[in-house]
């Protein structure tokens, strides 16, 4: 069987739209069921890849690996495994990368990770470990022909003293072999475009793919944003105000907000999107539909 898109997916200007979906490894059997329902619903949209996060401090090492392996075994999707430098020696991380290579995984999302004390506490590299994300990218590069994606921060990473220092780190990651960056989520598109201008001015030419977070839960999003240095504009709070006890309306508002954001990005020339799915398919599916993506159909070879 060949899987082919039923209708081609092109932005208004005629350019192809590509998407990727991020999932986290489930902690319980119930969450595993939700994840797999979501993967099955989103798979026919033929994303370029689906990525699986790596828990803080390496806490999901096995679960990340198992989820990635199941995606390889049971779907036609291309998985990307997230990996961080936290709480492991180089030898331990290299062994994980080799295992992925042997299992047929060709794409790693290479990150420094958060300090073990959590966001806000000072990061200290593991003795004998990779010092930072650029160091990790270089290490993975030596171990095989992997596609390597990294993070980017339109509003600056909280550890970074300035945007320029942040962009220096991005440059180091690209020089070490990264070929794509996915951004932290943001709600004001101008922040992304201002950042993109600075990145391009620094001579970085890899795709800087906007990370889109559909707001499944406004309160949780606010807490998450505060920890990772993303701003939540007052107009967004205003849109969700008064809806705490009204999940159906919240969902419609969330779809409208995300739709407005991605359509503006497309109108301004963006053709690739990375969706933080939070393991839920509905909003992401609807937004992809708006972007012109349609489910693939299977055809006899
Ligand atoms: C697309 C995406 C996917 C992610 N996936 C995961 C995941 O699966 N698991 C997970 O645990 N986390 C994940 N994160 C979060 C990420 O691990 C944290 O933001 C972490 O704090 C930084 O890792 P990084 O690779 O993004 O950092 P880097 O790009 O290496 O660094 C970010 C900034 O911090 C500065 N910096 C780094 N170290 C120091 C230091 N010691 N002192 C001062 N400044 C410093 C750098 O200069 C740079 O400006 C993800 C983030 C994004 C955007």
């Amino acid at each position: 069987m060949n899987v082919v898109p039923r209708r081609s997916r092109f932005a208004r200007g005629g350019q192809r739209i590509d998407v990727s979906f991020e999932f986290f490894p489930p902690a319980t059997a119930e969450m595993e069921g939700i994840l797999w329902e979501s993967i099955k619903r989103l798979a026919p949209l033929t994303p370029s890849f689906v990525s699986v996060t790596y828990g803080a401090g390496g806490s999901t090492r096995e679960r990340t690996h198992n989820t990635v392996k199941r995606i390889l075994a049971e779907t036609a999707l291309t998985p990307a495994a997230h990996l961080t430098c936290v709480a492991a020696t180089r030898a331990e991380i290299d062994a994980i990368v080799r295992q992925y290579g042997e299992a047929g995984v060709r794409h790693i999302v290479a990150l420094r990770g958060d300090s073990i004390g959590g966001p806000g506490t000072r990061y200290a590299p593991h003795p004998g470990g990779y010092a930072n994300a650029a160091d990790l990218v270089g290490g993975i590069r030596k171990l095989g022909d992997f596609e390597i994606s990294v993070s980017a921060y339109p509003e600056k990473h909280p550890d970074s003293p300035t945007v320029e220092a942040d962009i220096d780190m991005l440059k180091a990651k690209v020089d070490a072999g990264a070929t794509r960056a996915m951004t932290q989520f943001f709600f004001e598109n101008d922040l992304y475009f201002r950042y993109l201008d600075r990145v391009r001015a620094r001579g970085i030419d890899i795709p800087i793919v906007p990370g889109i977070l559909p707001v499944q839960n406004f309160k949780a999003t606010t807490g998450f944003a505060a920890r990772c240095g993303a701003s939540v504009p007052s107009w967004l709070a205003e849109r969700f105000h008064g809806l705490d006890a009204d999940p159906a309306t919240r969902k419609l508002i969330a779809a409208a907000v995300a739709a407005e954001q991605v359509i503006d990005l497309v109108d301004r020339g963006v053709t690739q999107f990375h969706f933080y799915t939070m393991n839920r398919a509905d909003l992401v599916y609807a937004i992809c539909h708006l972007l012109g993506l349609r489910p693939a159909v299977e055809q006899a070879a």
Side-chain angles (χ1 to χ4, degrees):
M1 290 284 196
N2 283 336
V3 176
V4 291
R6 195 181 299 154
R7 280 170 53 191
S8 52
R9 51 229 209 137
F10 292 100
R12 288 177 212 169
Q15 273 184 297
R16 187 189 153 88
I17 300 283
D18 281 311
V19 297
S20 50
F21 302 134
E22 183 171 309
F23 301 101
F24 60 85
T28 63
E30 190 194 350
M31 284 165 74
E32 172 133 19
I34 293 171
L35 168 68
W36 279 90
E37 259 177 44
S38 300
I39 291 179
K40 283 178 188 153
R41 175 125 169 89
L42 292 171
L45 297 177
T46 57
S48 334
F49 64 92
V50 294
S51 76
V52 181
T53 62
Y54 195 70
S59 55
T60 66
R61 185 183 299 186
E62 285 303 312
R63 281 189 275 134
T64 300
H65 203 175
N66 291 342
T67 305
V68 167
K69 276 207 306 210
R70 190 170 163 197
I71 290 170
L72 267 179
E74 295 183 20
T75 74
L77 298 167
T78 303
H82 292 218
L83 186 59
T84 73
C85 308
V86 180
T89 63
R90 279 172 185 256
E92 285 166 338
I93 289 175
D94 290 356
I96 295 172
V97 174
R98 284 199 191 91
Q99 268 182 3
Y100 277 130
E102 282 156 18
V105 177
R106 307 263 32 108
H107 185 171
I108 307 266
V109 181
L111 303 142
R112 184 200 70 176
D114 285 318
S115 68
I116 297 180
T121 59
R122 194 174 164 74
Y123 181 86
H126 185 275
Y130 284 103
N132 55 40
D135 198 18
L136 176 61
V137 171
I140 297 169
R141 220 356 111 243
K142 284 193 198 130
L143 292 171
D145 184 20
F146 289 97
E147 185 174 351
I148 306 175
S149 296
V150 292
S151 62
Y153 295 89
E155 296 183 75
K156 178 178 100 49
H157 185 278
D159 285 355
S160 189
T162 60
V163 178
E164 282 315 308
D166 221 14
I167 294 176
D168 286 347
M169 177 51 85
L170 181 61
K171 179 81 167 70
K173 294 191 282 193
V174 173
D175 290 347
T179 52
R180 173 196 297 99
M182 281 93 76
T183 74
Q184 186 58 276
F185 65 85
F186 55 90
F187 295 108
E188 299 276 17
N189 289 347
D190 285 352
L191 291 168
Y192 168 78
F193 288 109
R194 274 203 293 272
Y195 175 73
L196 196 61
D197 285 348
R198 294 176 83 158
V199 165
R200 296 293 182 237
R202 187 78 172 75
I204 297 169
D205 58 6
I206 62 166
I208 309 292
V209 181
I212 305 295
L213 177 70
V215 181
Q216 320 264 0
N217 175 329
F218 182 71
K219 251 190 196 150
T221 300
T222 311
F224 189 40
R227 287 195 295 280
C228 66
S231 60
V232 177
S234 55
W235 58 259
L236 189 62
E238 184 53 40
R239 288 188 186 180
F240 286 96
H241 181 72
L243 294 178
D244 286 356
D246 185 352
T249 308
R250 273 205 318 263
K251 202 166 182 177
L252 290 171
I253 300 293
V257 165
E260 211 177 301
Q261 179 174 25
V262 296
I263 286 170
D264 180 60
L265 288 167
V266 169
D267 285 347
R268 295 163 79 176
V270 172
T271 57
Q272 296 180 56
F273 295 90
H274 183 68
F275 286 97
Y276 295 106
T277 69
M278 308 307 282
N279 292 2
R280 306 277 166 169
D282 284 5
L283 283 172
V284 174
Y285 192 92
I287 298 157
C288 287
H289 186 93
L290 272 175
L291 285 172
L293 274 69
R294 298 292 182 267
V297 284
E298 288 193 344
Q299 286 189 343

Coordinates of all heavy atoms in Angstrom, one line a residue, residues 137-192:
V137 N 24.8 17.8 20.4 CA 24.6 17.7 19.0 C 25.9 17.1 18.4 O 25.9 16.2 17.5 CB 24.3 19.1 18.4 CG1 24.3 19.0 16.8 CG2 22.9 19.5 18.9
G138 N 27.1 17.7 18.8 CA 28.4 17.2 18.2 C 28.6 15.7 18.5 O 29.1 15.0 17.7
G139 N 28.2 15.3 19.8 CA 28.4 13.9 20.1 C 27.5 13.0 19.3 O 27.9 11.9 18.8
I140 N 26.2 13.4 19.1 CA 25.3 12.5 18.2 C 25.8 12.5 16.8 O 25.8 11.4 16.2 CB 23.9 13.1 18.3 CG1 23.3 13.1 19.7 CG2 23.0 12.4 17.3 CD1 22.0 13.9 19.9
R141 N 26.3 13.6 16.3 CA 26.9 13.6 14.9 C 28.0 12.6 14.7 O 28.0 12.0 13.7 CB 27.4 15.0 14.7 CG 27.4 15.8 13.6 CD 26.8 15.5 12.3 NE 25.6 16.2 11.9 CZ 24.4 15.6 11.7 NH1 24.2 14.3 11.9 NH2 23.3 16.3 11.4
K142 N 28.8 12.4 15.8 CA 29.9 11.4 15.7 C 29.4 10.0 15.7 O 30.1 9.1 15.2 CB 30.8 11.6 16.9 CG 31.7 12.8 16.7 CD 32.8 12.7 17.8 CE 33.5 14.1 18.0 NZ 33.5 14.5 19.4
L143 N 28.2 9.8 16.2 CA 27.7 8.4 16.4 C 26.9 7.9 15.2 O 26.6 6.7 15.1 CB 26.8 8.3 17.6 CG 27.5 8.6 18.9 CD1 26.5 8.7 20.1 CD2 28.5 7.4 19.2
G144 N 26.6 8.7 14.2 CA 25.8 8.2 13.1 C 25.2 9.3 12.3 O 25.2 10.5 12.7
D145 N 24.5 8.9 11.2 CA 24.0 9.8 10.3 C 22.5 10.2 10.7 O 21.6 9.8 10.1 CB 24.0 9.2 8.9 CG 23.5 10.2 7.9 OD1 23.5 11.4 8.1 OD2 23.0 9.7 6.8
F146 N 22.4 10.9 11.9 CA 21.1 11.3 12.4 C 20.7 12.6 11.9 O 21.6 13.5 11.7 CB 21.1 11.3 13.9 CG 21.2 9.9 14.6 CD1 22.5 9.5 15.0 CD2 20.1 9.1 14.7 CE1 22.6 8.2 15.6 CE2 20.2 7.9 15.3 CZ 21.5 7.4 15.7
E147 N 19.4 12.8 11.7 CA 18.9 14.2 11.5 C 18.8 14.7 13.0 O 18.3 14.1 13.9 CB 17.5 14.1 10.9 CG 16.9 15.4 10.6 CD 15.6 15.2 9.8 OE1 15.2 14.1 9.4 OE2 14.9 16.3 9.7
I148 N 19.3 16.0 13.2 CA 19.3 16.5 14.5 C 18.6 17.8 14.6 O 19.0 18.8 13.9 CB 20.8 16.7 15.1 CG1 21.5 15.4 14.9 CG2 20.7 17.1 16.5 CD1 23.0 15.5 15.3
S149 N 17.5 17.8 15.4 CA 16.8 19.1 15.6 C 17.1 19.6 17.0 O 17.5 18.9 17.9 CB 15.3 18.9 15.5 OG 14.9 18.4 14.2
V150 N 16.9 20.9 17.2 CA 17.2 21.6 18.5 C 16.1 22.6 18.8 O 15.2 22.8 18.0 CB 18.6 22.3 18.5 CG1 19.7 21.3 18.4 CG2 18.7 23.3 17.3
S151 N 16.2 23.2 20.0 CA 15.2 24.2 20.4 C 15.7 25.6 20.0 O 16.9 25.8 19.8 CB 15.1 24.1 21.9 OG 16.4 24.4 22.5
A152 N 14.7 26.5 20.0 CA 15.0 27.9 19.8 C 14.0 28.7 20.6 O 12.9 28.2 20.8 CB 14.9 28.3 18.3
Y153 N 14.4 29.9 21.0 CA 13.5 30.6 22.0 C 13.3 32.1 21.5 O 14.1 33.0 21.8 CB 14.2 30.6 23.4 CG 14.3 29.3 24.0 CD1 15.4 28.4 23.7 CD2 13.3 28.7 24.7 CE1 15.5 27.1 24.2 CE2 13.3 27.4 25.2 CZ 14.4 26.6 24.9 OH 14.5 25.4 25.4
P154 N 12.2 32.3 20.9 CA 11.9 33.7 20.4 C 11.9 34.7 21.5 O 12.2 35.9 21.3 CB 10.5 33.5 19.8 CG 10.3 32.1 19.5 CD 11.1 31.4 20.5
E155 N 11.5 34.3 22.7 CA 11.5 35.3 23.8 C 12.7 35.1 24.8 O 12.7 35.5 25.9 CB 10.2 35.2 24.6 CG 9.0 35.5 23.7 CD 7.7 35.5 24.5 OE1 7.5 36.4 25.3 OE2 7.0 34.5 24.3
K156 N 13.7 34.4 24.3 CA 14.9 34.1 25.1 C 14.7 33.0 26.2 O 13.6 33.0 26.8 CB 15.4 35.5 25.8 CG 16.6 35.4 26.6 CD 16.9 36.8 27.2 CE 16.5 37.1 28.6 NZ 16.8 36.1 29.6
H157 N 15.7 32.2 26.3 CA 15.6 31.2 27.4 C 15.8 31.8 28.7 O 16.7 32.7 28.8 CB 16.6 30.1 27.1 CG 16.5 28.9 28.1 ND1 17.1 29.0 29.3 CD2 15.9 27.7 28.0 CE1 16.8 27.8 30.0 NE2 16.1 27.0 29.1
P158 N 15.1 31.4 29.8 CA 15.3 32.1 31.1 C 16.7 32.1 31.6 O 17.1 33.0 32.3 CB 14.3 31.3 32.0 CG 13.4 30.5 31.2 CD 14.0 30.4 29.8
D159 N 17.5 31.1 31.3 CA 18.9 31.0 31.7 C 19.8 32.0 31.0 O 20.9 32.3 31.4 CB 19.5 29.6 31.5 CG 19.0 28.6 32.5 OD1 18.3 29.0 33.4 OD2 19.4 27.4 32.3
S160 N 19.3 32.5 29.8 CA 20.2 33.3 29.0 C 20.2 34.8 29.4 O 19.1 35.3 29.5 CB 19.8 33.1 27.5 OG 20.7 33.6 26.7
P161 N 21.4 35.4 29.5 CA 21.4 36.8 29.9 C 20.7 37.7 28.9 O 20.1 38.7 29.2 CB 22.9 37.1 30.1 CG 23.6 36.0 29.4 CD 22.7 34.8 29.4
T162 N 20.9 37.4 27.6 CA 20.4 38.3 26.5 C 19.9 37.4 25.3 O 20.3 36.2 25.2 CB 21.5 39.2 26.0 OG1 22.6 38.3 25.4 CG2 22.1 40.1 27.0
V163 N 19.2 38.0 24.5 CA 18.8 37.3 23.2 C 20.0 37.0 22.4 O 20.1 35.9 21.8 CB 17.8 38.2 22.4 CG1 17.4 37.5 21.1 CG2 16.5 38.5 23.2
E164 N 21.0 37.9 22.4 CA 22.2 37.6 21.6 C 22.9 36.4 22.1 O 23.4 35.5 21.3 CB 23.1 38.8 21.6 CG 22.7 39.9 20.7 CD 22.3 39.4 19.3 OE1 23.0 38.7 18.6 OE2 21.2 39.8 18.8
A165 N 23.0 36.2 23.5 CA 23.7 35.0 24.0 C 22.9 33.8 23.6 O 23.5 32.7 23.4 CB 23.8 35.2 25.5
D166 N 21.6 33.9 23.6 CA 20.7 32.8 23.2 C 21.0 32.4 21.8 O 21.1 31.2 21.4 CB 19.3 33.2 23.4 CG 18.4 32.1 24.0 OD1 18.9 31.2 24.5 OD2 17.2 32.3 23.9
I167 N 21.1 33.4 20.9 CA 21.4 33.1 19.5 C 22.8 32.6 19.3 O 23.0 31.8 18.4 CB 21.0 34.4 18.7 CG1 19.5 34.7 18.8 CG2 21.5 34.2 17.2 CD1 19.1 36.0 18.1
D168 N 23.7 33.0 20.1 CA 25.1 32.4 20.1 C 25.0 30.9 20.3 O 25.7 30.1 19.7 CB 26.0 33.0 21.2 CG 26.4 34.4 20.8 OD1 26.3 34.8 19.7 OD2 27.0 35.1 21.7
M169 N 24.1 30.5 21.3 CA 24.0 29.1 21.6 C 23.3 28.4 20.4 O 23.7 27.3 20.1 CB 23.2 28.9 22.9 CG 22.9 27.5 23.3 SD 24.3 26.3 23.3 CE 24.9 26.6 25.0
L170 N 22.4 29.0 19.8 CA 21.7 28.4 18.6 C 22.8 28.2 17.5 O 22.8 27.2 16.9 CB 20.6 29.3 18.1 CG 19.8 28.7 16.9 CD1 19.2 27.4 17.2 CD2 18.7 29.7 16.5
K171 N 23.6 29.2 17.3 CA 24.7 29.1 16.3 C 25.6 28.0 16.6 O 26.0 27.2 15.7 CB 25.4 30.5 16.3 CG 26.6 30.6 15.3 CD 26.1 30.9 13.9 CE 27.2 31.3 12.9 NZ 28.0 30.2 12.5
A172 N 26.0 27.8 17.9 CA 26.9 26.7 18.3 C 26.2 25.4 18.0 O 26.9 24.4 17.5 CB 27.2 26.8 19.8
K173 N 24.9 25.3 18.2 CA 24.2 24.0 17.9 C 24.2 23.7 16.4 O 24.4 22.6 16.0 CB 22.8 24.1 18.5 CG 22.7 24.2 20.0 CD 21.4 24.0 20.6 CE 20.5 25.2 20.6 NZ 19.3 25.0 21.4
V174 N 24.0 24.8 15.6 CA 24.0 24.6 14.2 C 25.4 24.3 13.7 O 25.6 23.3 12.9 CB 23.5 25.9 13.5 CG1 23.6 25.8 11.9 CG2 22.0 26.2 13.9
D175 N 26.4 24.9 14.2 CA 27.8 24.6 13.8 C 28.2 23.2 14.2 O 29.0 22.6 13.5 CB 28.8 25.6 14.5 CG 28.6 27.0 13.9 OD1 28.0 27.2 12.8 OD2 29.2 28.0 14.5
A176 N 27.5 22.7 15.2 CA 27.8 21.3 15.7 C 27.1 20.3 14.8 O 27.3 19.1 14.9 CB 27.5 21.1 17.1
G177 N 26.1 20.7 14.0 CA 25.4 19.8 13.1 C 23.9 19.8 13.2 O 23.3 18.9 12.5
A178 N 23.3 20.7 13.9 CA 21.8 20.7 13.9 C 21.3 21.2 12.6 O 21.8 22.2 12.1 CB 21.3 21.6 15.1
T179 N 20.2 20.6 12.1 CA 19.6 21.1 10.8 C 18.2 21.7 10.9 O 17.7 22.0 9.9 CB 19.6 19.9 9.9 OG1 18.9 18.8 10.5 CG2 21.0 19.4 9.5
R180 N 17.7 21.7 12.1 CA 16.3 22.3 12.2 C 16.2 22.8 13.7 O 16.7 22.1 14.6 CB 15.2 21.3 11.9 CG 13.8 21.8 12.2 CD 12.8 20.7 12.3 NE 12.6 20.0 11.0 CZ 13.2 18.8 10.7 NH1 13.9 18.2 11.6 NH2 13.0 18.3 9.5
A181 N 15.5 23.9 13.9 CA 15.1 24.3 15.3 C 13.6 24.4 15.4 O 13.0 24.9 14.4 CB 15.8 25.6 15.7
M182 N 13.1 23.9 16.5 CA 11.7 24.1 16.8 C 11.6 25.1 17.9 O 12.4 25.0 18.9 CB 11.0 22.9 17.2 CG 10.6 21.9 16.0 SD 11.9 20.7 15.8 CE 11.6 19.6 17.1
T183 N 10.7 26.1 17.8 CA 10.7 27.2 18.8 C 9.9 26.8 20.0 O 8.9 26.0 19.9 CB 10.1 28.5 18.3 OG1 8.7 28.4 18.2 CG2 10.8 28.9 17.0
Q184 N 10.2 27.4 21.2 CA 9.3 27.4 22.3 C 8.0 28.0 21.8 O 8.0 28.8 20.9 CB 9.9 28.2 23.4 CG 9.2 28.2 24.7 CD 9.0 26.8 25.2 OE1 8.1 26.1 24.8 NE2 9.9 26.4 26.1
F185 N 6.9 27.7 22.4 CA 5.6 28.3 22.0 C 5.6 29.8 22.3 O 6.3 30.3 23.2 CB 4.4 27.6 22.6 CG 4.3 27.7 24.1 CD1 3.6 28.9 24.6 CD2 4.8 26.8 24.9 CE1 3.5 29.0 26.0 CE2 4.7 26.9 26.3 CZ 4.1 28.0 26.9
F186 N 4.8 30.5 21.5 CA 4.6 32.0 21.6 C 3.2 32.3 21.2 O 2.6 31.5 20.4 CB 5.7 32.7 20.8 CG 5.7 32.4 19.4 CD1 4.9 33.0 18.5 CD2 6.4 31.3 18.9 CE1 4.8 32.7 17.1 CE2 6.4 30.9 17.6 CZ 5.6 31.6 16.7
F187 N 2.7 33.4 21.6 CA 1.3 33.8 21.2 C 1.3 35.1 20.3 O 0.3 35.4 19.7 CB 0.4 34.0 22.4 CG 0.2 32.7 23.1 CD1 0.9 32.5 24.4 CD2 -0.5 31.6 22.6 CE1 0.7 31.3 25.0 CE2 -0.6 30.4 23.2 CZ 0.0 30.2 24.5
E188 N 2.4 35.8 20.3 CA 2.5 37.0 19.5 C 3.4 36.7 18.3 O 4.6 36.6 18.5 CB 3.1 38.2 20.3 CG 2.3 38.6 21.5 CD 1.1 39.6 21.2 OE1 0.7 39.7 20.1 OE2 0.6 40.2 22.2
N189 N 2.8 36.7 17.1 CA 3.7 36.3 16.0 C 4.8 37.3 15.7 O 5.9 36.9 15.2 CB 2.8 36.2 14.7 CG 1.9 34.9 14.8 OD1 2.1 34.1 15.7 ND2 0.9 34.8 14.0
D190 N 4.6 38.6 16.1 CA 5.7 39.5 15.9 C 7.0 39.1 16.6 O 8.1 39.4 16.2 CB 5.3 40.9 16.3 CG 4.3 41.6 15.3 OD1 4.2 41.0 14.2 OD2 3.8 42.6 15.6
L191 N 6.8 38.5 17.8 CA 8.0 38.0 18.6 C 8.8 37.0 17.7 O 10.0 37.1 17.7 CB 7.5 37.3 19.8 CG 6.9 38.2 20.9 CD1 6.2 37.3 22.0 CD2 8.0 39.1 21.6
Y192 N 8.1 36.1 17.0 CA 8.7 35.1 16.2 C 9.5 35.8 15.1 O 10.7 35.5 14.8 CB 7.7 34.1 15.7 CG 8.2 33.2 14.6 CD1 9.0 32.1 14.9 CD2 7.9 33.5 13.3 CE1 9.5 31.3 13.9 CE2 8.3 32.6 12.3 CZ 9.1 31.6 12.6 OH 9.6 30.7 11.5

